[in-house]
Amino acid sequence: ISVDFYIIIFILLSRNKFRNMKNKIFELYKPNSLEEFKIFFKDNPQETFVYVVQQPGPKINILPASDYGYLVICLPHFEQAIFSTAPYVHKMKKNLQDFRPQDYLLAVGDPVIIGISCIAINDATNGKFNVLKWERDQKRYYSLEFDIYMKG
């Protein structure tokens, strides 16, 4: 992410164009970011989080998803599960271990890693979780609620 990106975000926030947008983004694949996120998570239990499977490419704007909570990006853009899924099972279980039913998944990236993420979230929440879906015509995200085991 370039400096220009942050300048644009600052200008938009200062104009109150994104009143609901959470202005902190956690990138768990960067050094010390996971620890910083854990502290923030513990100190702010009332907040919701949008877990983004992978950093999207430069042409995809995920900032509207921050209306639903703080963005937590789990993996960098270029990673793909090619020869083995084991490293990604470990990474995603670690990155998604604090996922709660009130949080959201933004399924962006490698389809295999998205599948691994859904399984890890299912395990963490007993099958109850939310996914954000982009609606092209409306140009916004909508929340879809999952209850895999339909226990109420």
Side-chain angles (χ1 to χ4, degrees):
I1 299 177
S2 70
V3 173
D4 293 335
F5 171 79
Y6 288 109
I7 292 170
I8 291 168
I9 295 303
F10 175 76
I11 291 168
L12 291 174
L13 287 172
S14 65
R15 291 182 185 168
N16 284 328
K17 295 246 181 201
F18 295 104
R19 283 182 222 119
N20 296 332
M21 181 189 285
K22 305 294 184 175
N23 61 1
K24 179 105 178 107
I25 298 174
F26 298 95
E27 296 172 292
L28 302 184
Y29 54 90
K30 290 188 175 178
N32 301 321
S33 190
L34 182 59
E35 292 79 20
E36 180 186 344
F37 171 68
K38 293 285 191 184
I39 292 166
F40 186 87
F41 184 88
K42 182 181 175 193
D43 292 344
N44 298 280
Q46 75 286 358
E47 296 292 348
T48 57
F49 298 91
V50 176
Y51 290 82
V52 183
V53 175
Q54 283 185 279
Q55 174 78 42
K59 294 182 180 182
I60 299 174
N61 179 11
I62 61 168
L63 287 178
S66 65
D67 287 344
Y68 290 89
Y70 288 93
L71 297 180
V72 180
I73 302 172
C74 297
L75 295 174
H77 172 66
F78 53 84
E79 292 207 21
Q80 290 188 20
I82 296 175
F83 298 112
S84 174
T85 58
Y88 294 100
V89 170
H90 176 72
K91 284 180 187 180
M92 297 315 288
K93 279 188 170 187
K94 182 178 178 183
N95 288 342
L96 298 168
Q97 66 186 344
D98 296 316
F99 195 101
R100 304 161 301 171
Q102 65 266 32
D103 293 327
Y104 299 87
L105 174 68
L106 184 56
V108 176
D110 181 318
V112 172
I113 300 173
I114 291 170
I116 292 168
S117 300
C118 289
I119 293 167
I121 290 169
N122 182 64
D123 290 348
T125 64
N126 292 317
K128 287 188 172 190
F129 59 95
N130 301 301
V131 175
L132 294 180
K133 179 183 183 337
W134 179 253
E135 178 28 70
R136 252 181 233 153
D137 295 336
Q138 299 290 321
K139 295 186 183 345
R140 62 171 288 202
Y141 286 101
Y142 287 94
S143 173
L144 298 172
E145 187 176 310
F146 284 76
D147 185 356
I148 300 298
Y149 303 115
M150 295 183 195
K151 293 183 179 178

